[in-house]
C-alpha cells in the first residue's frame, strides 16, 4: 500500500526518483571507481548493495575509451560554466514573458 501513488503525484514522484537515481550513480562512480587507480582496488572497495558481477560490468563500462572521453568532455564543459541555471523547470523565455506582461 505504501507504494501506491495517486495519479496527481505520479509525475513528481517519478521525476524525484530520476534525480535521486542520477545522484546515486554519480556517488557510486566517485567513491568506488574514480577514487582508485586500478580495478583490483575498485573490486576490493565495492558496495555490498551491488552484486559483484554487476559492479564488474560497471567497471568494464566505465573503463571503455569512449566512455572515458565522453566523461572528460562533460567535466571540462561543466568546469567552464560560470552561471548555473537555477530557475528549476521554468525556462528563461517563459520568465521573460511573464516579466514583460
Amino acid at each position: 500500500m505504501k507504494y501506491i501513488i495517486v495519479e496527481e503525484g505520479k509525475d513528481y514522484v517519478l521525476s524525484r526518483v530520476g534525480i535521486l537515481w542520477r545522484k546515486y550513480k554519480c556517488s557510486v562512480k566517485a567513491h568506488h571507481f574514480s577514487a582508485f587507480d586500478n580495478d583490483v582496488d575498485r573490486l576490493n572497495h565495492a558496495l555490498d548493495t551491488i552484486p559483484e558481477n554487476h559492479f564488474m560490468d560497471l567497471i568494464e563500462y566505465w573503463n571503455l575509451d569512449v566512455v572515458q572521453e565522453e566523461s572528460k568532455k562533460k567535466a571540462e564543459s561543466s568546469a567552464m560554466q560560470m552561471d548555473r541555471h537555477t530557475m528549476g523547470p521554468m525556462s528563461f523565455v517563459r520568465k521573460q514573458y511573464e516579466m514583460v506582461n
Side-chain angles (χ1 to χ4, degrees):
M1 287 298 289
K2 73 178 184 178
Y3 295 110
I4 297 175
I5 303 163
V6 294
E7 197 61 36
E8 293 84 16
K10 187 176 180 180
D11 289 339
Y12 172 78
V13 170
L14 290 177
S15 69
R16 208 55 209 144
V17 167
I19 291 167
L20 293 172
W21 177 244
R22 285 190 299 276
K23 284 183 179 182
Y24 174 73
K25 290 189 300 181
C26 181
S27 173
V28 168
K29 187 173 181 182
H31 293 104
H32 300 281
F33 180 79
S34 300
F36 302 101
D37 295 330
N38 59 56
D39 292 344
V40 174
D41 288 341
R42 291 173 180 141
L43 286 172
N44 288 336
H45 295 89
L47 279 172
D48 295 337
T49 56
I50 300 176
E52 187 176 340
N53 60 336
H54 291 187
F55 192 71
M56 288 171 54
D57 289 343
L58 273 174
I59 290 174
E60 192 175 309
Y61 173 75
W62 285 330
N63 276 324
L64 292 174
D65 290 336
V66 175
V67 175
Q68 291 281 335
E69 289 175 24
E70 185 176 329
S71 179
K72 184 179 176 183
K73 279 198 290 190
K74 287 180 180 179
E76 289 171 355
S77 175
S78 179
M80 289 187 329
Q81 287 185 345
M82 300 305 266
D83 296 320
R84 301 261 183 218
H85 177 43
T86 58
M87 291 183 54
M90 182 181 287
S91 70
F92 289 122
V93 174
R94 190 168 129 206
K95 186 63 176 176
Q96 180 185 16
Y97 176 79
E98 288 178 1
M99 290 172 71
V100 168
N101 292 329

